[in-house]
């Protein structure tokens, strides 16, 4: 996908090109701004005339006159100069790095050493440095120097913050997290402010990873994603939507007046024990703006592969793969299957001092020490492909690309994997063996795939049974009947000696798990290691089934088999396994069973943007009017919801609680 082309055809009524084009020797980012329709040719013409020859001045003029946002400008410049783009706010920058370069140089050139390795420092710069300055820094520090482009404003804040000085106190505010108290005392009377506080507070307390607010014709719909499952929570009145959305936009530094265009933003929140980085995106819909808040726990503890439940044999094999000097290793599975977490865990197992590791992510989700992490922004034209090409010039040993979505990225990544880089990435396929075919479908060459691919890890996440309250199932036969007969028989037989199913556990609910019966998550894995035989099969265009056959000879355990092992160990349930691995196609026998289990479990059937069940839309008809809405009562209600008995977890939301707002009034 070419980043220069979108929108070109949408431009109408242009003046003749010859009169409005930038001069041929103008920097490429000016052309990028024009071609991506961020700036009209007329405006550009004016800017070039007014600001003179210095391209830096042209950019400044465009931002000052509100023709383009600072961020869009820097993204275009990063793309034009083929430099990585970085948002300092995305990182826990080590301020001690300030000792590496003199303050005058940092201030004078507007640069800051954002990462420091053994031999290389990465400077965040607001403009590509010329060779003289680069040499000066090399000489002074004794380090090799990398550059990445950051917005001048963010960089200025960082420099002020790091070196201190007159304005640092004031400026640092924008970098630091909001504290709860600040939000709370901020116009404490406005209901929307209180309400958003309540929602954020409860989402954080409930360990939700996402908070969705959607408008329907008659009602609002609020959902928390907890342990990977979207759960509907009681919603405030529909009439409060615009106020809620505005409040969230203010927090996320977004344009309140803009309601017809999707927007992205983020803010930080210091909840009592953890710091949350909250990514906000708004999307206009027929019924008003939908908002999704993603709660990223930046200080959070990253689960190790052991904690994720990878068994020893798989982990040893996986460890060997991540220590190969080159090759491509992919994690695969649907959204929310924990692929990125696995790759992050893998990166933490690599020697970060001796190896140069760079990641390209959309956006950076978890910050890791000693690893250079770069955010890409495909919407703004900074693609995985473009970013990958730039970072390969910086001689990394290990590269992690957030996701392979297109042919260009796939090919560049495969070639990198063949030329001395270990390349980690993710791909959307249901099984490990489907990966070669998926890469070939994208249009890559079979010889690249067969020679570069070293392994594929397919995975899913299941909720982990709460170890404090789980107990043997009341009706093991009913649970076994969810499985195809041969599988159920095999499972029963594996308890040789004990009564069939006696070790099947069921969730109960206690204080420690918020009465859900589940606590945390566990991964189920399918690790395919590419053998020479498989390489030949890929070259010969053999299908997935053949590859599975070869992998089975090599003792590969299928996802569902690994899942059953974990059910047997009492770590999760058959229902969770079916929910998580539900779309793995292992034959007709399974398909029938799985469709039944989908029907019985409406919460899992629709996935992220699932349809609401008829029952729940009926319930929402009773939503109260905004007037007389009692936020304290709502807060109590949400609190009760969080604690409420939801023994079966993902089963029906508690209707009596959801209908609450009406009766509260
Ligand atoms: Zn429990």
């Amino acid at each position: 996908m070419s980043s220069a082309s979108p929108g070109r055809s949408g431009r109408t009524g242009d003046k003749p090109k010859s009169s409005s084009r930038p001069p041929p020797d103008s920097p490429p980012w000016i052309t990028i701004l024009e071609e991506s329709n961020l700036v009209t040719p007329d405006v550009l013409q004016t800017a070039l005339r007014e600001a003179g020859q210095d391209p830096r001045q042209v950019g400044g003029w465009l931002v000052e006159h509100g023709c383009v946002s600072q961020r869009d400008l820097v993204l275009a410049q990063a793309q034009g100069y083929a430099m990585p783009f970085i948002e300092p706010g995305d990182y826990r920058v080590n301020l001690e790095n300030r000792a590496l370069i003199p303050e005058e140089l940092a201030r004078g050139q507007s640069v800051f050493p954002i990462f420091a390795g053994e031999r290389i420092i990465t400077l965040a710069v607001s403009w590509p440095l010329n060779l003289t300055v680069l040499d000066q820094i090399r000489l002074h520090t004794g380090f090799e120097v990398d550059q990445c482009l950051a917005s001048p404003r963010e960089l200025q804040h960082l420099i002020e913050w790091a070196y201190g000085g007159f304005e640092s106190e004031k400026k640092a505010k924008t970098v630091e997290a909001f504290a709860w108290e600040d939000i709370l005392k901020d116009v404490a009377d406005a209901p929307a402010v209180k309400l958003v506080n309540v929602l954020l507070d409860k989402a954080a307390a409930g360990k939700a990873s996402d908070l969705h607010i959607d408008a329907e014709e008659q009602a609002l719909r609020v959902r928390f994603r907890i342990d990977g499952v979207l759960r509907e929570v009681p919603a405030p009145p529909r009439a409060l939507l615009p106020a809620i959305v505005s409040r969230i936009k203010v927090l996320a530094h977004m344009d309140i007046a803009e309601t017809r265009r999707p927007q992205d933003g983020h803010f930080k929140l210091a909840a009592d024990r953890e710091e949350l980085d909250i990514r906000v995106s708004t999307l206009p819909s027929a019924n008003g703006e939908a908002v999704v808040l993603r709660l990223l726990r930046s200080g959070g503890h990253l689960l190790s592969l052991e904690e994720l439940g990878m068994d020893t044999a798989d982990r040893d094999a996986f460890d060997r793969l991540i220590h190969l000097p080159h090759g491509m290793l992919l994690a695969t599975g649907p959204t929310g299957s924990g692929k990125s977490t696995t790759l992050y865990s893998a990166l933490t197992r690599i020697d970060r001092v001796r190896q140069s590791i760079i990641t390209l992510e959309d956006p950076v989700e978890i910050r890791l020490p000693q690893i250079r992490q770069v955010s890409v922004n495909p919407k703004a034209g900074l693609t995985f492909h473009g970013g990958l090409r730039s970072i390969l010039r910086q001689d990394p040993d290990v590269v992690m690309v957030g996701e392979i979505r297109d042919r260009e990225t796939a090919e560049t990544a495969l070639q990198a994997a063949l030329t001395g880089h270990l390349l980690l990435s993710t791909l959307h396929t249901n099984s490990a063996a489907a990966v070669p075919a998926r890469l070939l479908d994208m249009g890559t060459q079979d010889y690249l795939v067969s020679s570069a691919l070293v392994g594929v890890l397919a995975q899913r996440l299941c909720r982990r049974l709460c170890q404090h309250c789980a107990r043997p199932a009341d009706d093991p036969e009913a649970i076994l009947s969810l499985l195809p007969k041969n599988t159920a028989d095999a499972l029963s037989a594996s308890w040789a000696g004990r009564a069939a199913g006696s070790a099947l556990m069921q969730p109960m609910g206690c204080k420690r798990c918020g009465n859900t019966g589940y606590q945390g998550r566990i991964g189920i894995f399918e690790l395919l290691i590419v053998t020479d035989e498989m390489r030949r099969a890929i070259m010969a265009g053999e299908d997935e089934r053949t590859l599975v056959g070869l992998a089975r000879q090599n003792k590969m355990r299928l996802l569902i088999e690994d899942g059953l092992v974990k059910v047997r160990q009492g770590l999760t349930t058959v229902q969770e396994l079916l929910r998580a691995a539900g779309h793995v196609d292992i034959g007709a026998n399974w398909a029938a069973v799985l469709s039944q289990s989908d029907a019985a479990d409406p919460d899992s059937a629709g996935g992220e943007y699932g349809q609401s069940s008829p029952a729940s839309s009926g319930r929402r008809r009773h939503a109260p009017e905004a007037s007389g809405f009692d936020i304290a009562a709502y807060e109590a209600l949400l609190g009760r919801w969080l604690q409420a008995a939801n023994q079966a977890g993902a089963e029906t939301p508690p209707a009596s609680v959801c209908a609450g707002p009406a009766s509260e009034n």
Side-chain angles (χ1 to χ4, degrees):
M1 144 176 59
S2 157
S3 48
S5 55
R8 208 171 224 296
S9 56
R11 198 167 54 189
T12 50
D14 277 359
K15 300 256 165 71
K17 293 249 159 67
S18 53
S19 69
S20 56
R21 283 245 123 173
D25 58 342
S26 65
W29 57 266
I30 290 193
T31 320
I32 291 168
L33 281 179
E34 193 201 349
E35 291 193 336
S36 51
N37 271 355
L38 287 167
V39 176
T40 64
D42 286 348
V43 168
L44 212 48
Q45 213 42 34
T46 316
L48 288 165
R49 198 172 54 237
E50 300 280 322
Q53 291 308 304
D54 182 356
R56 217 169 159 168
Q57 306 285 342
V58 176
W61 190 93
L62 288 170
V63 173
E64 268 165 39
H65 289 76
C67 308
V68 64
S69 75
Q70 177 84 258
R71 188 189 152 82
D72 284 344
L73 174 72
V74 181
L75 279 169
Q77 290 171 338
Q79 200 190 348
Y81 291 115
M83 285 173 71
F85 167 73
I86 193 169
E87 286 183 276
D90 279 347
Y91 298 84
R92 278 174 187 274
V93 176
N94 183 357
L95 296 184
E96 300 306 317
N97 288 354
R98 68 181 158 223
L100 294 170
I101 62 171
E103 182 173 346
E104 304 109 76
L105 184 68
R107 288 186 187 277
Q109 296 291 335
S110 192
V111 299
F112 189 80
I114 198 155
F115 306 112
E118 211 176 37
R119 295 164 316 222
I120 298 185
I121 53 174
T122 302
L123 289 181
V125 300
S126 60
W127 194 255
L129 296 179
N130 65 36
L131 286 177
T132 324
V133 179
L134 277 177
D135 282 344
Q136 196 187 338
I137 297 175
R138 279 197 196 104
L139 271 176
H140 180 88
T141 60
F143 282 100
E144 273 304 302
V145 178
D146 274 348
Q147 311 182 57
C148 54
L149 214 53
S151 121
R153 203 167 38 214
E154 278 211 43
L155 193 51
Q156 204 51 46
H157 289 166
L158 178 61
I159 292 170
E160 290 295 343
W161 197 19
Y163 294 95
F166 180 64
E167 293 216 284
S168 62
E169 287 293 283
K170 198 168 63 193
K171 300 258 172 114
K173 274 264 170 216
T174 59
V175 184
E176 275 170 347
F178 287 92
W180 270 116
E181 305 80 73
D182 292 347
I183 292 191
L184 291 172
K185 70 176 179 236
D186 203 3
V187 216
D189 293 337
V193 173
K194 271 192 191 162
L195 185 51
V196 169
N197 291 345
V198 166
L199 284 169
L200 286 169
D201 187 23
K202 295 300 177 205
K207 300 279 172 225
S209 59
D210 303 79
L211 163 57
H212 292 229
I213 302 170
D214 300 289
E216 292 179 359
E217 211 172 309
Q218 301 291 331
L220 265 192
R221 192 167 185 217
V222 177
R223 288 175 297 171
F224 290 174
R225 183 182 294 282
I226 299 174
D227 286 342
V229 180
L230 266 183
R231 321 254 314 255
E232 185 154 358
V233 305
R238 169 84 172 74
L240 289 173
L241 176 70
I244 294 173
V245 174
S246 299
R247 174 60 188 161
I248 294 172
K249 284 180 173 173
V250 167
L251 288 173
H253 309 290
M254 292 154 74
D255 182 352
I256 305 187
E258 178 61 77
T259 58
R260 295 181 183 186
R261 213 165 44 90
Q263 293 190 67
D264 294 319
H266 65 108
F267 62 99
K268 287 189 174 141
L269 199 61
D272 53 354
R273 275 182 307 276
E274 55 184 357
E275 183 182 282
L276 293 178
D277 192 357
I278 301 182
R279 303 268 161 176
V280 183
S281 70
T282 63
L283 191 69
S285 80
N287 295 316
E289 284 177 284
V291 187
V292 175
L293 295 98
R294 187 134 214 237
L295 283 62
L296 303 170
R297 287 165 173 85
S298 45
H301 156 69
L302 185 62
L303 287 179
S304 68
L305 297 175
E306 289 87 347
E307 286 167 311
L308 278 171
M310 189 182 274
D311 90 332
T312 327
D314 276 354
R315 200 197 57 225
D316 290 348
F318 189 72
D319 250 348
R320 281 194 295 279
L321 292 174
I322 59 178
H323 287 98
L324 288 175
H326 57 86
M328 178 188 272
L329 173 61
L330 296 177
T332 166
T335 306
S337 57
K339 304 183 289 281
S340 327
T341 311
T342 302
L343 291 187
Y344 281 125
S345 305
L347 291 178
T348 61
R349 298 173 86 88
I350 297 173
D351 182 345
R352 282 169 277 170
V353 174
R354 281 171 216 292
Q355 304 235 35
S356 152
I357 306 177
I358 307 186
T359 73
L360 262 183
E361 305 168 61
D362 176 24
V364 171
E365 289 188 20
I366 300 177
R367 287 147 223 180
L368 298 175
Q370 294 170 307
I371 290 182
R372 280 182 287 166
Q373 294 173 281
V374 179
S375 285
V376 300
N377 187 336
K379 268 181 276 169
L382 191 78
T383 58
F384 279 119
H385 174 237
L388 181 56
R389 283 201 322 195
S390 332
I391 64 178
L392 286 174
R393 289 190 209 111
Q394 308 197 352
D395 188 32
D397 298 303
V398 181
V399 178
M400 180 183 115
V401 178
E403 192 185 341
I404 293 178
R405 292 181 192 153
D406 54 79
R407 184 182 59 79
E408 286 107 327
T409 311
E411 272 185 351
T412 311
L414 285 163
Q415 270 154 0
L418 279 177
T419 51
H421 308 276
L422 179 70
L423 202 129
L424 309 177
S425 189
T426 70
L427 198 66
H428 276 263
T429 64
N430 283 334
S431 72
V435 162
R438 176 86 190 90
L439 287 170
L440 295 175
D441 283 348
M442 283 180 166
T444 57
Q445 304 290 315
D446 51 7
Y447 71 91
L448 278 178
V449 176
S450 67
S451 43
L453 196 64
V454 294
V456 181
L457 182 72
Q459 72 172 81
R460 301 288 188 277
L461 289 176
C462 292
R463 285 184 297 167
R464 187 192 280 266
L465 272 171
C466 171
Q467 298 301 307
H468 303 289
C469 60
R471 70 164 200 223
D474 296 330
D475 187 356
E477 288 308 319
I479 296 174
L480 285 173
S481 72
L482 296 170
L483 295 166
K485 185 156 186 337
N486 56 353
T487 311
D489 289 349
L491 189 57
S492 309
S494 72
W495 277 294
R498 287 192 268 169
S502 69
L504 277 179
M505 303 295 272
Q506 74 181 29
M508 295 306 293
C510 67
K511 255 190 198 156
R512 304 208 203 193
C513 57
N515 272 325
T516 59
Y518 292 99
Q519 204 177 28
R521 289 193 271 178
I522 185 152
I524 57 176
F525 302 98
E526 173 178 298
L527 179 63
L528 179 140
I529 294 164
V530 180
T531 59
D532 287 345
E533 225 176 344
M534 271 183 231
R535 295 184 204 289
R536 285 191 290 274
I538 295 169
M539 282 302 283
E542 298 283 4
D543 64 3
E544 186 181 336
R545 188 176 291 264
T546 311
L547 293 177
V548 171
L550 291 171
R552 299 289 272 175
Q553 289 171 18
N554 206 17
K555 301 206 167 48
M556 179 179 82
R557 187 147 81 179
L558 294 172
L559 264 181
I560 200 83
E561 294 168 333
D562 191 41
L564 287 170
V565 169
K566 277 151 192 165
V567 168
R568 254 180 54 187
Q569 293 169 339
L571 295 172
T572 189
T573 57
V574 167
Q575 291 89 333
E576 267 301 291
L577 177 59
L578 291 172
R579 182 183 67 76
H583 299 286
V584 179
D585 178 16
I586 9 182
N589 198 8
W590 278 93
V593 175
L594 296 177
S595 61
Q596 283 164 20
S597 90
D598 274 355
D601 186 357
D603 222 36
S604 74
E608 191 155 0
Y609 300 103
Q611 305 295 312
S612 59
S613 64
S616 59
S617 25
R619 204 172 54 235
R620 277 192 302 276
R621 236 183 281 131
H622 305 294
E625 294 307 311
S627 58
F629 176 65
D630 181 343
I631 291 175
Y634 178 69
E635 182 173 10
L637 180 67
L638 265 187
R640 281 210 303 283
W641 182 88
L642 276 174
Q643 294 210 330
N646 251 330
Q647 270 87 342
E651 281 172 18
T652 44
S656 56
V657 176
C658 282
S663 52
E664 293 285 339
N665 284 311

